[in-house]
Amino acid sequence: MMNQFPREEGLDHSLNLLREGYMYIPNRKKSFASNVFETRLLGQNAICMSGEKAAEIFYDEEKFMRNGVAPKRLQKTLFGEEGVQTLDDAAHRHRKSMFMALMTKSRLEALQDITEKQWRLATRKWEQMEQIVLYDEAKEIMCRIACVWAGVPVEEGEIKELAEQLAAMFESPTALGPQHWKGRRARKQVEKWVEGLVDQVREGHLNPAEGTALHEISLHKDLEGEYLEGRVAAVEVINILRPIVAIAIYINFTALAIHHYPEQKEKLETADAKYFQMFVQEVRRFYPFFPMAAAKVRKDFSWEGYLFKEGTLTLLDLYGTNHDTELWDNPDIFNPYRFSGWDKSPFDFIPQGGGDYMMGHRCAGEFVTIEIMEVSLNFLVNNIMYQLPEQDLSYSLVTMPSIPKSGVIMRDIRVK
Ligand code: HEM
């Protein structure tokens, strides 16, 4: 005898998901008193799961797969079509190894230097300005970092527009109307431009340094020994550029944490590298980013007495797992010290997905994110002084992705 899933009755709850955002799964997890429940989303049956044990099975390749899961509106904006996110098995592992080969120690050291330089240049400019909106500035800084690190040539005059286009891809997926269409248009335009760069690399007219994303992805061969289709190679180069620009969101939340927890700022002024790391981990745990990850059941299996039927859409609660009271003491308190004794489970702290980088779909850019955040944190705390004027610093747990309302306005910026 199988258990019945706690079930949310009704024809479809996609609108509730949009209305409740990051709290959609946590709210039902609480009311059903269950880490797993069944509902209907996007016109189909769906299972929602939360917590460490749920993450462990979600990242078991024999149980779940990704092909055909992402809805079109996400593919047309956030992900692109036929990228690594949509692959399974040997094809996925082969493509993923292309990404992970970009994340070597020396390439991460290069990233640190690039990030420091771009922050220095930006903060010098800010000294001449009355005030800045950190979110807008950070998107541009991140775009410069992304292009230099990935070997993508961009004219200085084009950076602002490119940053906006890459940001539109992650700002638009759940938006309706013009903002959504902006994201689709941006993806089309940037894909076409990057595809042109890939062609130039293959023809020998453009020579990005070895080890950069543009070089490695352009010349990557699939399991049949063929280059990726130009359009797909462009999707994968953008899978490096776009999420680096998205780190601007974490930089906003970093500034928010420094502001809301002044005792942390004092501590950071004399802290060692270990504490910086713990602070960055806590920013990634505490603040909302990706609410959930999606997969579908590969073939029937049972887990904890529940039958998971082949083909069922399954969502893993990333935000809720990072705030799970079974896993974290007082999860709604910002406390970097919690990471001093953390046992590094691949399934309890999952802002960028869980499991194994090479074998599964865990974010390929987690080290890149941490590196850039640590350098940026140091800049905000130790390299500049600034004031935050009165503004709306609240952020939503409904709008996805969540960004502080004012974008964090800073004024009277001085380099220390
Ligand atoms: C801005 C902060 C970031 C967040 C919150 C984030 C989050 C995520 C999440 C939740 C996933 C999906 C996990 C899953 O499907 O199970 C993912 C996948 C991925 N991320 Fe990130 N990410 C970030 C930054 C980056 C960066 C900087 C890069 C590249 C430099 C990157 C590249 C990727 C790639 C290529 C995948 C697909 C992996 C696969 O399907 O195997 N991400 N990320």
Side-chain angles (χ1 to χ4, degrees), residues 58-59 66 79 83-87 92 95-96 99 102-103 149 236 238-250 284 289-294 316 318 350-354 356-370 372-373:
F58 183 84
Y59 285 101
R66 302 299 181 103
F79 295 139
V84 63
Q85 294 94 337
T86 65
L87 302 177
H92 174 258
R95 188 82 64 85
K96 190 67 175 283
F99 279 98
L102 304 172
M103 313 297 167
W149 189 67
E236 301 299 35
I238 295 170
N239 263 336
I240 295 290
L241 304 180
R242 180 202 69 248
I244 293 182
V245 174
I247 297 172
I249 296 181
Y250 272 152
R284 295 194 308 128
F289 206 128
F290 272 92
M292 53 198 64
L316 175 69
L318 303 181
I350 52 173
Q352 298 182 225
D356 185 75
Y357 295 102
M358 294 301 256
M359 302 298 288
H361 286 269
R362 188 182 188 120
C363 174
E366 203 160 7
F367 300 121
V368 166
T369 308
I370 294 169
I372 292 180
M373 285 178 72

Side-chain angles (χ1 to χ4, degrees), residues 29 33 40 51 69 89 94 113 125 132 171 206 216 242 259 269 297 325 341 366 405:
K29 170 178 162 173
R40 282 188 66 81
V69 172
D89 307 320
H94 185 68
D113 293 343
K125 183 185 83 178
I132 60 144
E171 289 171 346
L206 183 65
E216 299 308 314
R242 180 202 69 248
H259 177 67
E269 281 165 2
V297 178
T325 47
E366 203 160 7
K405 291 246 166 55

Side-chain angles (χ1 to χ4, degrees), residues 109-328:
E109 280 163 8
L111 179 67
Q112 185 181 354
D113 293 343
I114 296 166
T115 308
E116 279 169 2
K117 182 173 171 209
Q118 292 303 333
W119 270 102
R120 261 198 309 277
L121 290 172
T123 48
R124 253 185 245 147
K125 183 185 83 178
W126 296 348
E127 277 194 302
Q128 318 303 321
M129 295 162 72
E130 201 174 310
Q131 65 177 39
I132 60 144
V133 176
L134 180 64
Y135 183 51
D136 297 339
E137 296 288 323
K139 284 193 280 192
E140 270 186 52
I141 298 176
M142 294 302 123
C143 186
R144 287 196 176 88
I145 294 170
C147 291
V148 175
W149 189 67
V152 170
V154 200
E155 301 285 329
E156 179 53 31
E158 295 165 349
I159 283 283
K160 197 176 173 60
E161 190 187 357
L162 180 60
E164 277 309 316
Q165 287 173 316
L166 291 165
M169 295 180 200
F170 58 79
E171 289 171 346
S172 65
T174 61
L176 298 172
Q179 202 192 347
H180 179 70
W181 289 101
K182 184 177 166 195
R184 287 188 179 230
R185 246 188 344 267
R187 171 160 287 283
K188 262 200 191 149
Q189 289 164 349
V190 179
E191 275 185 12
K192 194 162 166 235
W193 170 64
V194 175
E195 191 178 338
L197 297 179
V198 168
D199 286 344
Q200 288 182 52
V201 174
R202 289 176 179 170
E203 288 158 6
H205 302 313
L206 183 65
N207 296 299
E210 254 180 56
T212 59
L214 182 59
H215 183 273
E216 299 308 314
I217 295 172
S218 299
L219 302 181
H220 173 81
K221 303 258 177 80
D222 65 16
L223 285 170
E224 276 75 50
E226 303 289 337
Y227 282 148
L228 298 178
E229 220 181 292
R231 184 181 53 76
V232 177
V235 165
E236 301 299 35
V237 173
I238 295 170
N239 263 336
I240 295 290
L241 304 180
R242 180 202 69 248
I244 293 182
V245 174
I247 297 172
I249 296 181
Y250 272 152
I251 287 169
N252 251 30
F253 283 130
T254 302
L256 206 61
I258 295 169
H259 177 67
H260 280 155
Y261 310 103
E263 72 288 357
Q264 291 292 336
K265 183 165 188 283
E266 256 173 51
K267 168 114 193 93
L268 284 162
E269 281 165 2
T270 54
D272 58 9
K274 170 105 177 60
Y275 195 75
F276 268 70
Q277 210 174 68
M278 281 159 36
F279 188 94
V280 161
Q281 298 293 59
E282 182 66 345
V283 169
R284 295 194 308 128
R285 185 197 69 81
F286 185 79
Y287 292 101
F289 206 128
F290 272 92
M292 53 198 64
K296 70 180 180 197
V297 178
R298 187 183 279 261
K299 53 180 190 285
D300 288 7
F301 71 91
S302 66
W303 179 71
E304 303 214 326
Y306 297 112
L307 177 63
F308 286 67
K309 283 219 178 95
E310 182 174 330
T312 310
L313 173 66
T314 305
L315 302 180
L316 175 69
D317 180 17
L318 303 181
Y319 178 77
T321 302
N322 292 335
H323 289 256
D324 189 332
T325 47
E326 282 176 32
L327 302 172
W328 307 99

Side-chain angles (χ1 to χ4, degrees), residues 382-406:
N382 291 322
N383 292 51
I384 55 172
M385 295 182 292
Y386 54 86
Q387 306 294 326
L388 296 194
E390 192 128 320
Q391 58 189 292
D392 186 355
L393 288 170
S394 67
Y395 57 93
S396 161
L397 284 181
V398 173
T399 316
M400 300 175 283
S402 177
I403 301 159
K405 291 246 166 55
S406 63

